[in-house]
């Protein structure tokens, strides 16, 4: 019975592996697969993974093959004489040497290849042309700071694509504001933990444009699964346009606005919103929650729990926990007209 359960589990596992199509994972909203890398470190990791898999597969086939041969060769036969013990062997130098030297060589090869990769992965981020990004993990969202560009964003990391003539890695400085999180975008790089009071470094070098999804890789509380990250890899020109949009002042001039937007802004500043969120150019300068300066430049809300549209925004303002149970932003007990005005204001933050 136990073997039957094991066999069924194995068959299901192998079936799932065969059905999973890595090509499907390519871009937006796809299943991110380490087998479909789109960045230099991820390619290095995939090559290493295949090498290890190949060596392990060869050892598996050799060991299981030898076992099967022995079982078959020494099966019980008609003429088997059980009355005497089989001939006894004591030690064999060739066999001893083989099973000592073989594994030693395997371990040595793996050690050398892994060490080479570790050093190559550590070296590239110090390139002077690297784009610097400081990423800070919060329960449960990502703060993204570009110190050289003076940009503060959240949850959607925009980076330029690197091309062969002019390589441009992205150097990531990783920190945490509260508990341990982990930066993980499988198609771009391996996982790197984000530890409170300890700065870690990683880098990516995307080689194709597109949107790549990531996910916090370390359990960090109730909404760990909804701590999603999107990395938008753009052409140099598109990235430049994004940078200019992020650096432009956020809201339009007070007098030239829709009255609902104006009332929304006043509400935003008089309620608790402004003590947790910042909007560049206004009195709102909180750092507990994501910066909302260019909220409308993002495609999702709540670190990936919903699309960034008016309906989701209203739901979020009424009760954030409806979309993200356990979220640290409280329900503000707002009336319908207040929600409408705040929505109008937030939707003006282009
Ligand atoms: Cu942050 Cu899990």
């Amino acid at each position: 019975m136990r073997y039957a359960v094991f066999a069924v589990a194995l068959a299901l596992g192998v079936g799932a592996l065969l059905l999973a199509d890595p090509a499907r994972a390519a871009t937006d909203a796809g299943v991110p697969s380490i087998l479909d890398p789109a960045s230099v470190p991820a390619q290095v990791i995939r090559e290493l993974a295949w090498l290890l898999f190949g060596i392990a597969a060869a050892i598996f086939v050799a060991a299981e093959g030898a076992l099967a041969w022995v079982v078959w060769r020494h099966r019980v036969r008609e003429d088997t004489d059980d009355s005497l013990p089989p001939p006894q062997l004591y030690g064999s130098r060739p066999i001893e040497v083989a099973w000592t030297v073989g594994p030693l060589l395997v371990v040595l090869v793996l050690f050398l290849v892994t060490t080479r990769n570790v050093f190559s992965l550590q070296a590239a981020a110090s390139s002077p042309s690297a784009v610097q990004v400081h990423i800070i993990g919060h329960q449960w969202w990502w703060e993204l700071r570009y110190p050289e560009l003076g940009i503060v964003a959240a949850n959607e990391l925009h980076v330029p694509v690197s091309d062969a003539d002019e390589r441009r890695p992205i150097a990531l400085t990783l920190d945490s504001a509260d508990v341990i999180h982990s930066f993980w975008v499988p198609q771009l790089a391996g996982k790197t933990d984000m530890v409170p009071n300890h700065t870690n470094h990683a880098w990516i070098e995307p080689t194709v444009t597109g949107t790549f999804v990531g996910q916090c890789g370390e359990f960090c509380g109730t909404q760990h699964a909804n701590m999603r990250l999107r990395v938008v890899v753009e052409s140099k020109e598109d990235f430049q346009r994004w940078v200019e949009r992020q650096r432009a002042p956020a809201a339009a001039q007070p007098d030239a606005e829709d009255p609902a937007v104006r009332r929304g802004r006043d509400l935003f500043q008089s309620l608790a919103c402004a003590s947790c969120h910042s909007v560049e150019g206004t009195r709102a300068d909180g750092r507990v929650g994501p910066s909302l300066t260019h909220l409308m430049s993002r495609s999702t809300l709540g670190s990936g729990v919903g699309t960034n549209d008016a309906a989701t925004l209203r739901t979020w303002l009424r009760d954030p926990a409806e979309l993200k149970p356990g979220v640290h932003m409280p329900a503000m007990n707002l009336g319908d007209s207040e929600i409408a005005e705040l929505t109008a204001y937030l939707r003006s933050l282009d």
Side-chain angles (χ1 to χ4, degrees):
M1 182 58 201
R2 222 181 321 155
Y3 292 111
V5 171
F6 178 72
V8 168
L10 189 67
L12 285 176
V14 171
L17 272 180
L18 292 177
L19 287 175
D21 171 13
R24 204 178 40 182
T27 51
D28 208 4
V31 179
S33 168
I34 62 156
L35 299 178
D36 187 24
S39 161
V40 176
Q43 281 151 9
V44 171
I45 291 169
R46 179 182 63 169
E47 278 154 29
L48 183 62
W50 277 123
L51 177 72
L52 299 191
F53 182 75
I55 292 174
I59 292 173
F60 178 80
V61 168
E64 294 301 308
L67 179 65
W69 180 81
V70 167
V71 167
W72 182 82
R73 175 74 183 72
H74 298 286
R75 69 195 183 282
V76 175
R77 276 174 288 195
E78 291 282 307
D79 56 350
T80 304
D81 176 6
D82 278 341
S83 61
L84 292 172
Q88 303 295 300
L89 297 173
Y90 296 98
S92 156
R93 183 158 301 169
I95 291 178
E96 298 277 352
V97 170
W99 69 40
T100 306
V101 172
L104 208 66
L105 285 178
V106 170
V107 171
L108 189 70
V109 167
L110 297 185
F111 171 75
L112 290 177
V113 177
T114 309
T115 312
R116 191 193 63 191
N117 283 350
V118 167
F119 281 111
S120 78
L121 288 181
Q122 282 171 347
S126 49
S127 155
S129 66
V131 179
Q132 301 290 332
V133 187
H134 186 191
I135 305 185
I136 302 148
H138 293 255
Q139 282 176 319
W140 293 276
W141 60 280
W142 309 83
E143 179 178 351
L144 311 169
R145 297 183 160 255
Y146 296 70
E148 295 161 334
L149 302 171
I151 292 172
V152 182
N155 304 328
E156 292 181 17
L157 177 65
H158 285 247
V159 292
V161 68
S162 175
D163 60 53
D165 310 327
E166 199 192 339
R167 291 187 57 180
R168 205 166 178 207
I170 320 294
L172 309 174
T173 302
L174 304 171
D175 279 305
S176 166
D178 36 48
V179 299
I180 301 178
H181 303 275
S182 185
F183 176 84
W184 188 34
V185 186
Q187 287 172 277
L188 301 183
K191 264 182 211 173
T192 307
D193 276 2
M194 308 167 85
V195 183
N197 301 317
H198 175 87
T199 301
N200 273 339
H201 297 276
W203 62 287
I204 55 177
E205 189 184 336
T207 49
V208 287
T209 56
T211 300
F212 301 95
V213 287
Q215 163 70 47
C216 176
E218 181 78 37
F219 181 72
C220 55
T222 51
Q223 285 296 310
H224 157 69
N226 278 328
M227 185 166 164
R228 301 180 200 158
L229 175 70
R230 301 164 88 79
V231 180
V232 183
V233 178
E234 300 169 309
S235 66
K236 218 190 305 175
E237 296 73 30
D238 286 347
F239 177 69
Q240 201 47 47
R241 265 193 289 278
W242 179 83
V243 167
E244 275 152 27
R245 181 173 175 188
Q246 298 297 312
R247 295 172 79 168
Q253 294 307 307
D255 300 327
E257 275 169 14
D258 180 341
V261 170
R262 215 175 323 153
R263 284 198 299 273
R265 184 186 37 237
D266 293 343
L267 264 179
F268 188 89
Q269 298 194 0
S270 61
L271 294 169
C273 316
S275 54
C276 289
H277 295 281
S278 64
V279 177
E280 199 64 45
T282 73
R283 280 183 286 125
D285 63 353
R287 276 199 59 183
V288 178
S291 159
L292 301 177
T293 306
H294 292 281
L295 181 65
M296 285 307 118
S297 68
R298 300 176 203 154
S299 60
T300 61
L301 289 177
S303 200
V305 287
T307 48
N308 187 0
D309 54 38
T312 315
L313 199 50
R314 280 194 295 270
T315 309
W316 183 269
L317 288 170
R318 193 174 310 114
D319 184 9
E322 196 178 317
L323 294 165
K324 205 164 177 171
V327 65
H328 290 324
M329 174 171 161
M332 304 290 294
N333 298 316
L334 302 165
D336 284 346
S337 63
E338 290 173 314
I339 289 177
E341 286 158 6
L342 278 173
T343 303
Y345 172 56
L346 292 172
R347 300 219 19 111
S348 78
L349 298 175
D350 193 44

